Amino acid sequence: MLYPNLFEPISIGGLDVPNRITMPPMHTNLGNKREGITERGGDFYLARARGGFGLMGIGIIDAYFVEGASSPFEFFLENDHHVKNYARIVKGIKSFGAVPYAQVGVRRLFPVKQLHRDDRPTLAEFAEETIEEMIQAVVDTAVRAADAGFPAVDILGVGGSAHSIFASQVFNNRTDKWGGSQENRIRFAVETVQGIKKALGESFPVFYRLHGSEFLKGGYGIEGAQFNAQRLEKAGVCYFNVTGGGHGSAVPQLTPNVPRGTYAYLAREIKKVVGCPVAASNRNNEPDGAEEILRLGWADMISLGRQSLADPDWPRKVKDSNFEDLRQCVGCNECLDSTVIRDQPVVCLVNPRVGVIPELPDTPAAEERKKVVVIGGGVAGLQLALTSAQRGHAVTLFEKKNHLGGMWHHASAPPGREELFSFLRWLVVQISKSNVDVRLGTEATLENVNELKPDVIAVTAGYEPAIPDIPGNDNPNVFPATDALTGRVEIGEKVVIVGGGGIGVEVAPHVARGNRLRPDVVEFLKENHALNEDNEWLFDSDGPEVTLTTRQDTLGGSVGSFTRWVLAREVKHAGVNVMYGTTTEEITEDGVVVVQNGQAELLPADTVLLAAGLNPNRRVHEAIKSSGTSAEVLLFGDSGALNHAIEAVREAYQLALQI
């Protein structure tokens, strides 16, 4: 074992936890009013208990459902039938040696979108009787959780929940005993804790999920969070899981451009003022960094939320030093977009089993072993080949290029997106361990495919840059925007990017920043006096002047909303000039002619990059389909795109289960 701190036991509120790795409660939409928690929800948690998580939060269990704000697929715990369902799951989790706890709370008072508006909702109109009802509902739910066998309960104090809204300096504008001062704003949470303690006894452990800072203009910072933690500990809380700001925050929390361990300092600051264990959250899923946080004493536990989605066996693999098999969360936030925005069950780009089939059993073996040919070595093709091989099929994969990955190399190229590459690396490692016959630099033809006498031929659509029908689109200074990510395009001093969708917002800041050195390299060189006045320009020089044009009034197109606003902010921080509501009329040797508000304008440009999206390439599939082959011919990946690879990967996985 390489990480002694991660796997050191700990006692929390009198509960013996086998290691320092916790899975916090998450919004999964695996419940409903009828069952409380569905069978799929139970399997979800049991798979992660088997995977070695020491402390596991089950929830979010909504104690006070607000129609139109919360999801009907939350977890509920309202009656004896629900209690029995949870009891079975609690028993199963304990059988694997993990310690479960139930997170209870008021999930939402307002729809998510309202929390992001300038005219944010407030608490002023809530009657005091309603507030008391909410507190009692949480207490009653906590009692039923104890009846189900949960040895502890946790209060949801983050993410736009009622407890986070009441504690907020921004959303809580009350002037009675429930607002107006720090003491009054935290009263809602304090009285909830006291109510649970009164109902279940002073020795019953109560946890709290806490914001370490609101990260909102006018909101509380670390000192306010410390105040809240101290009041809650005095009320009886014996463990804090500390995260960053909630919904409405303008500070990126979870996207891949957030450096690992960025928000661990929030746990450190809370730990300074309380005497109970504290967990660090957000982007701590790299074993070395997680171990360091514990070694430094910044936290007592490491909280892995989305990482537990990506790989339910993360703790076991780390303990066994099975590092090459770790399937890392890449921060794409498709999970959050699915549950919070689309109100669907949770999904995961890198773990397509989530929401498709139970994760506790092994991948089901095929009833009949077949010869399967997969054409295309992008992430979707690799996933189909891997899953087919795991099911026992004989798989051959053709890739006409001399490397695997396809468009994923573009997706992971921009600064801040490098982490996406880990998914491709994981797929390639797993393929190398399987019996898949990979044929690189080999274009699939009717002849070499038919030589294998396949039962199934699965063709991934593949994608090509869409070239808009604009006069001058074939000029020598015009390129697909994705080519700028390959390093093979000479970028001029003035660049115009046509198209503000997913590709445009990824490419624009990448180009605008030019060849700047990384901030950590700059800091090192300056600290060590490795520069003088003559080469200061190396560190402070700007990239080319970039203008991004779009027909729309917003950026990001179909990119998920949890990531779109971060990309738009990066465009702004990189100094890109954005022109909204424009149409491109012509590309000339001098630049790009656009029309905005009825006025034509020439945008000077040495380099023009076309970001008009991607078109699927179905030619190989059509040729094989029409050849009269006796094999079953399948097309997949036709609905995915650069920013929604999750659709193509899940389709590939589901297709492999049907072969």
Side-chain angles (χ1 to χ4, degrees):
M1 183 177 64
L2 190 58
Y3 301 103
N5 289 296
L6 273 173
F7 295 97
E8 180 183 8
I10 186 174
S11 178
I12 301 177
L15 302 175
D16 294 327
V17 180
N19 59 47
R20 303 299 182 100
I21 308 170
T22 180
M23 173 186 171
M26 290 177 289
H27 195 59
T28 60
N29 278 345
L30 296 176
N32 57 47
K33 283 271 190 177
R34 183 168 57 86
E35 299 298 325
I37 183 170
T38 62
E39 184 176 346
R40 183 189 296 180
D43 171 84
F44 175 85
Y45 287 106
L46 291 174
R48 284 146 185 85
R50 182 187 64 179
F53 285 88
L55 184 67
M56 295 185 58
I58 313 303
I60 304 156
I61 299 174
D62 200 345
Y64 189 92
F65 184 78
V66 177
E67 194 72 42
S70 295
S71 168
F73 305 113
E74 302 281 8
F75 292 130
F76 297 95
L77 184 45
E78 298 178 340
N79 52 51
D80 290 344
H81 177 61
H82 292 174
V83 169
K84 290 179 181 178
N85 282 345
Y86 282 101
R88 288 194 297 270
I89 296 166
V90 168
K91 183 178 180 180
I93 290 172
K94 289 180 177 178
S95 72
F96 287 111
V99 177
Y101 65 88
Q103 184 183 74
V104 298
V106 181
R107 179 66 185 109
R108 294 225 188 277
L109 297 177
F110 314 107
V112 174
K113 292 182 179 179
Q114 290 185 14
L115 301 180
H116 294 268
R117 296 189 329 205
D118 292 335
D119 57 334
R120 293 185 174 110
T122 69
L123 296 174
E125 296 181 2
F126 281 87
E128 186 163 344
E129 293 78 9
T130 302
I131 296 173
E132 298 285 359
E133 287 175 6
M134 287 189 285
I135 292 175
Q136 190 59 50
V138 176
V139 172
D140 292 343
T141 304
V143 171
R144 285 189 287 272
D147 291 342
F150 284 104
V153 296
D154 177 60
I155 297 174
L156 173 64
V158 300
S161 68
H163 287 88
S164 69
I165 295 294
F166 269 91
S168 172
Q169 289 184 179
V170 175
F171 292 100
N172 188 345
N173 65 337
R174 298 182 72 96
T175 56
D176 58 2
K177 72 174 187 177
W178 303 105
S181 68
Q182 283 186 304
E183 193 76 50
N184 287 346
R185 286 194 297 271
I186 199 62
R187 185 188 303 277
F188 183 77
V190 167
E191 292 200 6
T192 303
V193 175
Q194 292 172 338
I196 294 173
K197 287 288 187 176
K198 183 178 179 180
L200 293 174
E202 288 299 320
S203 63
F204 191 86
V206 177
F207 305 160
Y208 199 92
R209 179 89 153 138
L210 182 79
H211 283 309
S213 173
E214 273 198 274
F215 290 128
L216 281 171
K217 184 178 181 180
Y220 63 79
I222 293 173
E223 291 183 357
Q226 289 177 324
F227 178 93
N228 292 340
Q230 288 175 309
R231 292 300 185 273
L232 290 165
E233 185 181 34
K234 184 178 179 181
V237 170
C238 63
Y239 166 77
F240 291 98
N241 189 314
V242 182
T243 184
H247 294 299
S249 170
V251 180
Q253 308 282 309
L254 302 170
T255 41
N257 64 320
V258 178
R260 292 185 187 277
T262 291
Y263 297 109
Y265 80 97
L266 297 174
R268 179 193 67 190
E269 297 306 306
I270 297 300
K271 189 170 167 57
K272 287 179 180 178
V273 299
V274 300
C276 60
V278 174
S281 293
N282 296 14
R283 305 277 295 146
N284 299 317
N285 61 335
E286 199 281 321
D288 292 356
E291 177 78 3
E292 182 182 26
I293 291 169
L294 297 176
R295 185 173 64 248
L296 292 174
W298 286 23
D300 304 286
M301 299 286 290
I302 298 296
S303 180
L304 302 181
R306 293 173 307 154
Q307 179 56 55
S308 69
L309 293 176
D311 194 338
D313 298 313
W314 191 94
R316 178 175 54 79
K317 290 176 180 177
V318 171
K319 187 175 184 179
D320 294 343
S321 299
N322 191 11
F323 305 119
E324 66 178 8
D325 288 340
L326 283 178
R327 188 167 47 200
Q328 295 289 94
C329 168
V330 297
C332 68
N333 286 324
E334 291 285 357
C335 52
L336 293 173
D337 283 315
S338 176
T339 57
V340 178
I341 304 302
R342 297 192 293 273
D343 207 19
Q344 298 293 319
V346 69
V347 295
C348 179
L349 166 63
V350 304
N351 180 9
R353 290 190 69 164
V354 174
V356 176
I357 65 171
E359 295 178 86
L360 202 56
D362 293 332
T363 300
E367 295 181 1
E368 176 187 355
R369 189 172 189 268
K370 296 180 179 180
K371 292 182 179 180
V372 178
V373 167
V374 179
I375 300 176
V379 291
L382 291 170
Q383 183 67 66
L384 189 143
L386 176 62
T387 305
S388 297
Q390 290 172 336
R391 298 194 64 218
H393 296 305
V395 183
T396 302
L397 185 146
F398 286 90
E399 170 52 56
K400 66 180 179 180
K401 296 180 181 178
N402 61 4
H403 63 272
L404 297 169
M407 294 297 294
W408 207 245
H409 288 276
H410 296 154
S412 58
R417 303 292 174 269
E418 299 90 347
E419 195 163 329
L420 295 173
F421 194 78
S422 68
F423 178 42
L424 175 58
R425 183 169 56 242
W426 180 85
L427 283 169
V428 172
V429 167
Q430 302 311 307
I431 286 285
S432 70
K433 292 183 174 185
S434 71
N435 64 352
V436 176
D437 177 10
V438 178
R439 302 189 180 185
L440 293 177
T442 306
E443 185 170 2
T445 65
L446 293 176
E447 291 74 19
N448 58 20
V449 169
N450 287 333
E451 284 178 2
L452 298 172
K453 299 180 180 179
D455 301 296
V456 177
I457 303 171
V459 186
T460 182
Y463 283 86
E464 300 170 336
I467 305 300
D469 186 17
I470 301 170
N473 63 8
D474 57 351
N475 288 349
N477 64 332
V478 180
F479 307 93
T482 51
D483 284 4
L485 301 172
T486 66
R488 298 176 182 175
V489 174
E490 185 175 345
I491 302 295
E493 295 183 1
K494 293 183 181 294
V495 179
V496 172
I497 300 176
V498 179
I503 295 175
V505 295
E506 292 271 13
V507 172
H510 170 69
V511 173
R513 291 192 173 101
N515 292 317
R516 295 180 192 173
L517 298 177
R518 296 198 319 265
D520 58 326
V521 173
V522 173
E523 182 179 357
F524 172 83
L525 293 174
K526 287 185 175 181
E527 284 182 354
N528 289 277
H529 307 288
L531 61 139
N532 53 45
E533 294 180 358
D534 294 334
N535 57 24
E536 281 279 0
W537 62 271
L538 284 170
F539 308 96
D540 301 320
S541 61
D542 293 325
E545 180 182 320
V546 178
T547 299
L548 178 65
T549 70
T550 175
R551 293 174 178 265
Q552 310 303 321
D553 56 4
T554 58
L555 293 176
S558 62
V559 178
S561 60
F562 273 88
T563 300
R564 187 190 310 129
W565 70 273
V566 177
L567 294 177
R569 171 164 287 202
E570 288 186 355
V571 168
K572 179 180 179 180
H573 288 172
V576 176
N577 174 39
V578 180
M579 296 183 64
Y580 297 98
T582 63
T583 58
T584 303
E585 298 295 309
E586 183 183 7
I587 301 172
T588 71
E589 294 181 357
D590 298 319
V592 180
V593 178
V594 299
V595 175
Q596 184 184 51
N597 298 324
Q599 298 294 318
E601 179 182 357
L602 174 67
L603 304 178
D606 307 307
T607 306
V608 179
L609 302 175
L610 303 179
L614 301 168
N615 289 329
N617 177 358
R618 308 182 184 93
R619 292 188 296 272
V620 174
H621 171 261
E622 292 167 355
I624 292 177
K625 187 76 173 177
S626 61
S627 69
T629 178
S630 60
E632 181 182 10
V633 182
L634 306 171
L635 176 67
F636 67 103
D638 197 23
S639 61
L642 188 64
N643 293 301
H644 282 282
I646 186 170
E647 299 173 10
V649 172
R650 292 184 78 220
E651 181 186 3
Y653 182 75
Q654 291 174 305
L655 191 61
L657 295 179
Q658 299 168 14
I659 295 176

